[in-house]
């Protein structure tokens, strides 16, 4: 019974990143706006988990959550999915070339992920004739980068529980 | 040097092309699918539209269900805020009521005068309004689109371009119709450009959406005389919307920028009216 309970708890813990991924997509919380700044939680969530625990988030699920975000926000179908897959690709690459994992390494390697993802996202929007607010893009990228350590710490605690 | 280049090549190959343990799809394949989807978005063909419409309907319903807890908490928060403001609003309402009573006699006189003048002109006035009510299903703050989703679509004969009203006030137009749902592009969106007329001056202009800022009036005649509080209505030019739908009041900023304070609060809308009239008659 105790083993069964432990397995069940472990399964639930393993599913938390996936549940979070779909919750923020379906609830339209991928980008959190707080008065003067906005943070792209979607990017941080995907980057962290693909980098640290790739088995927790399947690429197919990441693609699907991007499609959901596109429908909810009314952006062209496939544009967010593309940006999220780019973030995942950078995370996979960083994982392949990095030996030691720590916050500073993760944080710095998050910069190219953000730059590539936003570039691809805005190219997709540009070709679909969507107006682009460059100032918004800039502030969003900056604050997503600044808030990375905060979410990194929260996810690290969760990861620690999962590994225990 | 050669070895390090090989390492990078191996890392890139393993990142993009190899399917890892517990992964069903290669990331490269999914990126290609996403690019194709973005291209398909610009293709207008019936089967593609039907597929898109089906996908969107399913996701909207799912999102609506997932949003219930957050909607509930938001409503509770709003209710508490409303209760806190009751005293202040009561005072304001008393003041407004007094002013309305004073102006009502003036209005009845104007109505009488209007009726007499219409009779004199022998004008036949027919109401073409054919309103249909719908509920706001999803109101998610998108960074790039000021819009919301309503719970009626082509099943209720809603079509692209129809005017959407909050009570009697214009708030936006339909831009994307699915079978059970439709997306309303709000007047504040960067894509929104509405032909309007100002009262009492009668000047024509285009109302431009400015995202989070207030919409502004553009293409006004040179040396135009506009004052704070002038009313803005749809002009009905080019036959897009019915004329005379109230939108808001002018607020002058820096003497050259004419912003418009909308009559409706766009983030407080629960039910909307869709003007089906002209579209269904033209069919």
């Amino acid at each position: 019974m105790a083993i069964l309970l432990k397995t069940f708890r472990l399964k639930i813990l393993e599913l938390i990143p996936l549940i979070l991924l779909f919750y923020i997509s379906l609830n339209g919380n991928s980008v959190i706006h707080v008065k003067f700044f906005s943070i792209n939680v979607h990017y941080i969530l995907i980057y962290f988990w693909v980098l640290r625990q790739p088995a927790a988030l399947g690429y197919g699920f990441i693609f699907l959550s991007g499609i959901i975000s596109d429908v909810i926000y009314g952006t062209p179908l496939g544009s967010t999915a593309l940006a999220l897959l780019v973030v995942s690709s950078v995370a996979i690459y960083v994982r392949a070339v990095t030996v030691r994992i720590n916050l500073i390494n993760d944080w710095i390697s998050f910069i190219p992920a953000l730059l590539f993802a936003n570039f691809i996202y805005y190219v997709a929007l540009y070709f679909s004739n969507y107006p682009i607010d460059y100032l918004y893009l800039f502030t969003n990228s900056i604050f997503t980068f600044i808030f990375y350590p905060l979410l990194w710490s929260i996810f690290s605690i969760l990861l620690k529980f999962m590994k225990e | 040097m050669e070895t390090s280049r090989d390492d990078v090549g191996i890392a890139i190959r393993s990142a993009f092309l190899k399917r890892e343990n517990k992964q069903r799809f290669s990331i490269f394949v999914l990126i290609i699918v996403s690019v194709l989807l973005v291209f398909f978005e610009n293709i207008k063909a019936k089967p593609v539209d039907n597929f898109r419409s089906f996908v969107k309907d399913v996701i909207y319903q799912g999102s609506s269900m997932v949003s219930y807890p957050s909607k509930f908490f938001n409503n509770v928060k709003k209710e508490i805020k409303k209760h806190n403001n009751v005293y202040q609003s009561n005072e304001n309402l008393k003041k407004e009521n007094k002013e309305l009573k004073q102006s009502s006699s003036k209005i009845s006189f104007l109505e009488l005068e209007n009726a007499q003048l219409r009779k004199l002109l022998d004008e036949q006035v027919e109401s073409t309004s054919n309103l249909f009510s719908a509920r706001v299903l999803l109101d998610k703050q998108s960074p790039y689109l000021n819009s919301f989703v309503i719970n009626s679509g082509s099943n209720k004969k809603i079509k692209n371009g129809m005017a959407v009203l909050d009570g009697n006030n214009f708030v936006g137009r339909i831009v994307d119709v699915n079978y059970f749902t439709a997306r309303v592009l709000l007047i504040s969106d960067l894509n929104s450009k509405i032909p309007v007329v100002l009262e009492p001056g009668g000047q024509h202009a285009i109302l431009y959406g400015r995202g989070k800022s207030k919409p502004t009036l553009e293409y006004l005649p040179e040396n135009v005389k506009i004052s704070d509080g002038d009313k803005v209505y749809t002009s009905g030019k080019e036959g897009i919307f019915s004329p005379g739908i109230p939108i808001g009041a002018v607020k002058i900023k820096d003497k050259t920028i004419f912003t418009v304070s909308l009559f409706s609060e766009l983030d407080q809308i629960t039910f909307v009216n869709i003007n089906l009239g002209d579209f269904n008659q033209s069919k």
Side-chain angles (χ1 to χ4, degrees):
Chain A
M1 188 65 187
I3 294 170
L4 205 72
L5 207 71
K6 201 179 167 187
T7 319
F8 179 71
R9 215 182 70 185
L10 193 73
K11 277 276 167 216
I12 292 289
L13 276 173
E14 273 179 1
L15 281 176
I16 286 176
L18 197 63
I19 293 168
L20 210 60
L21 179 75
F22 280 102
Y23 180 77
I24 62 168
S25 310
L26 280 166
N27 203 29
N29 293 128
S30 319
V31 182
I32 295 176
H33 306 269
V34 188
K35 288 226 166 167
F36 305 108
F37 58 87
S38 65
I39 310 155
N40 198 322
V41 184
H42 225 155
Y43 285 178
I44 299 177
L45 179 88
I46 285 168
Y47 189 75
F48 179 88
W49 288 103
V50 172
L51 191 65
R52 302 290 299 274
Q53 185 81 8
L57 292 180
Y59 305 144
F61 290 130
I62 292 171
F63 170 77
L64 200 62
S65 82
I67 296 288
I68 293 170
S69 280
D70 284 329
V71 173
I72 301 294
Y73 283 150
T75 43
L77 224 57
S79 55
T80 307
L82 192 58
L84 296 181
L85 290 169
V86 168
V87 170
S88 311
S89 311
V90 176
I92 299 164
Y93 178 75
V94 170
R95 200 179 70 231
V97 296
T98 323
V99 182
R100 274 190 64 192
I101 293 168
N102 58 34
L103 172 62
I104 300 297
N105 281 351
D106 282 14
W107 201 14
I108 289 170
S109 60
F110 187 52
I111 299 173
L114 261 178
L115 289 175
F116 281 127
N118 277 339
F119 174 71
I120 295 289
Y121 187 49
Y122 289 99
V123 165
L125 289 184
Y126 179 79
F127 282 111
S128 305
N129 290 326
Y130 268 68
I132 299 164
D133 187 345
Y134 291 100
L135 187 69
Y136 178 85
L137 154 74
F138 182 70
T139 50
N140 178 262
S141 302
I142 295 287
F143 283 108
T144 306
F145 175 70
I146 290 171
F147 274 83
Y148 183 79
L150 180 73
L151 287 170
W152 187 92
S153 315
I154 296 167
F155 293 150
S156 293
I157 294 166
L158 182 64
L159 189 66
K160 208 175 131 191
F161 275 119
M162 279 164 74
K163 283 185 175 165
E164 274 171 11
Chain B
M1 199 65 189
E2 196 63 36
T3 324
S4 77
R5 209 184 299 156
D6 283 350
D7 289 347
V8 172
I10 291 164
I12 289 174
R13 267 205 303 278
S14 73
F16 288 95
L17 300 173
K18 260 175 76 179
R19 207 159 21 103
E20 293 181 49
N21 291 341
K22 291 192 178 181
Q23 297 288 359
R24 284 174 200 275
F25 305 99
S26 129
I27 206 149
F28 182 71
V29 172
L30 289 171
I31 286 176
I32 298 291
V33 174
S34 305
V35 172
L36 287 177
L37 274 176
V38 175
F39 276 111
F40 271 122
E41 189 70 6
N42 297 319
I43 295 172
K44 300 280 172 231
K46 189 114 190 174
V48 181
D49 284 345
N50 285 345
F51 173 72
R52 257 199 303 257
S53 163
F54 172 74
V55 170
K56 285 177 182 176
D57 273 339
V58 169
I59 293 175
Y60 287 147
Q61 298 302 333
S63 174
S64 168
M65 276 194 281
V66 170
S67 305
Y68 274 131
S70 60
K71 259 187 200 168
F72 174 76
F73 284 115
N74 274 340
N75 287 342
V76 169
K77 213 171 96 183
K78 269 181 203 164
E79 283 301 314
I80 292 168
K81 218 174 175 181
K82 257 190 213 168
H83 274 83
N84 288 340
N85 293 334
V86 161
Y87 179 77
Q88 185 62 42
S89 60
N90 188 34
E91 287 296 312
N92 289 342
L93 283 172
K94 272 182 188 171
K95 208 173 153 187
E96 256 178 49
N97 193 26
K98 205 176 162 186
E99 282 171 6
L100 282 171
K101 271 180 186 170
Q102 280 173 352
S103 62
S104 68
S105 56
K106 201 177 168 187
I107 289 169
S108 47
F109 168 74
L110 288 171
E111 270 178 1
L112 182 72
E113 195 183 45
N114 189 23
Q116 282 172 341
L117 288 169
R118 278 173 190 272
K119 210 174 167 184
L120 206 67
L121 287 167
D122 202 22
E123 187 191 9
Q124 298 255 319
V125 183
E126 280 178 30
S127 169
T128 53
S129 75
N130 180 10
L131 297 181
F132 174 79
S133 291
R135 190 169 60 85
V136 175
L137 186 70
L138 284 174
D139 184 9
K140 301 292 177 197
Q141 290 297 310
S142 161
Y144 312 102
L145 212 63
N146 287 359
S147 64
F148 54 66
V149 178
I150 55 169
N151 69 343
S152 304
S154 55
N155 60 334
K156 303 286 182 192
K157 294 181 179 169
I158 288 173
K159 292 183 181 75
N160 273 336
M162 283 178 170
V164 179
L165 319 178
D166 171 35
N168 289 323
N169 304 325
F170 184 87
V171 289
R173 65 189 160 93
I174 303 284
V175 286
D176 183 23
V177 184
N178 306 310
Y179 190 68
F180 295 112
T181 53
R183 188 174 281 276
V184 176
L185 186 81
L186 292 173
I187 203 164
S188 58
D189 188 84
L190 292 169
N191 283 305
S192 173
K193 293 162 188 76
I194 310 291
V196 293
V197 63
L198 278 81
E199 284 296 326
Q203 300 93 342
H204 284 268
I206 302 287
L207 186 66
Y208 266 66
R210 295 287 173 202
K212 281 176 187 162
S213 317
K214 284 180 180 169
T216 55
L217 293 169
E218 306 286 335
Y219 300 110
L220 279 159
E222 273 181 39
N223 303 322
V224 69
K225 279 184 184 169
I226 298 173
S227 34
D228 257 341
D230 280 5
K231 303 282 182 284
V232 180
Y233 298 90
T234 54
S235 68
K237 258 194 173 179
E238 295 175 15
I240 304 169
F241 309 116
S242 309
I245 307 173
I247 296 176
V250 176
K251 202 167 184 190
I252 301 172
K253 205 173 152 186
D254 303 335
K255 289 183 183 173
T256 49
I257 302 165
F258 302 103
T259 63
V260 174
S261 295
L262 302 175
F263 289 140
S264 293
E265 276 191 58
L266 299 180
D267 53 354
Q268 300 289 325
I269 298 170
T270 316
F271 291 95
V272 288
N273 293 322
I274 296 122
N275 196 341
L276 304 171
D278 302 342
F279 279 82
N280 289 340
Q281 279 165 17
S282 64
K283 279 271 154 188

